[in-house]
Amino acid sequence: MPSLFPALFTFSEAAPFLLRVALAALFIPYGYKKLFADFPSVLGVFKSTEWQSAPPSASLRSGWRAPSAGIAEFFGGLFLLAGFLTQLVSLLLAAKTLADIVKGAKEKRDISYRQGFSLVLLAALLSLALLGPGIYSIDLPF
């Protein structure tokens, strides 16, 4: 395959590593904030976005969604940073990110800046799932 910089192909295992570190730097603080720093206000946001005609169990659903999103983001970010179960974690985080995009699109009927950023996160997560863990990971065989 012709390339302008063929010497850079020797560093092809570094690209997934850089993606892992960048995604972990985003997801760990997001999850930490949802779990520890600002949990009451995050829970309030989840409860306020419920359907007005929702059944009484809606408050139970919103009660577990905030911590589950925080757990997925925080521990998913830690797993990505370590390179542990990289492809599985990136697919799970991609599914969560896609759900956020769909939920935002249903509420606003258009693509906002936030959903655009989420689309970039989704593309990076799917790329990481296809590329694998890269260098400095627990997933690589010894």
Side-chain angles (χ1 to χ4, degrees):
M1 155 174 36
S3 174
L4 289 176
F5 304 105
L8 290 179
F9 287 129
T10 59
F11 302 105
S12 63
E13 287 294 312
F17 168 71
L18 295 174
L19 267 177
R20 277 192 1 242
V21 171
L23 288 169
L26 290 172
F27 279 108
I28 291 171
Y30 287 166
Y32 181 83
K33 182 178 179 185
K34 287 178 185 168
L35 284 177
F36 305 113
D38 202 16
F39 184 73
S41 67
V42 171
L43 188 59
V45 167
F46 274 86
K47 285 184 179 181
S48 69
T49 58
E50 288 295 331
W51 292 88
Q52 295 299 325
S53 61
S57 63
S59 62
L60 293 175
R61 286 197 305 263
S62 62
W64 65 266
R65 276 196 318 216
S68 65
I71 288 169
E73 291 174 353
F74 183 72
F75 289 105
L78 288 177
F79 278 25
L80 286 179
L81 188 62
F84 182 63
L85 302 174
T86 304
Q87 291 173 308
L88 175 66
V89 169
S90 54
L91 286 175
L92 291 174
L93 288 173
K96 185 217 163 293
T97 305
L98 182 62
D100 290 344
I101 293 169
V102 169
K103 182 180 176 234
K106 281 184 179 180
E107 290 174 357
K108 297 185 180 175
R109 306 274 189 235
D110 66 342
I111 300 292
S112 67
Y113 173 76
R114 187 172 183 176
Q115 277 115 8
F117 180 70
S118 294
L119 282 171
V120 172
L121 279 179
L122 179 65
L125 286 165
L126 292 176
S127 297
L128 188 58
L130 293 173
L131 289 171
I135 58 174
Y136 306 121
S137 69
I138 298 173
D139 283 349
L140 286 179
F142 291 76

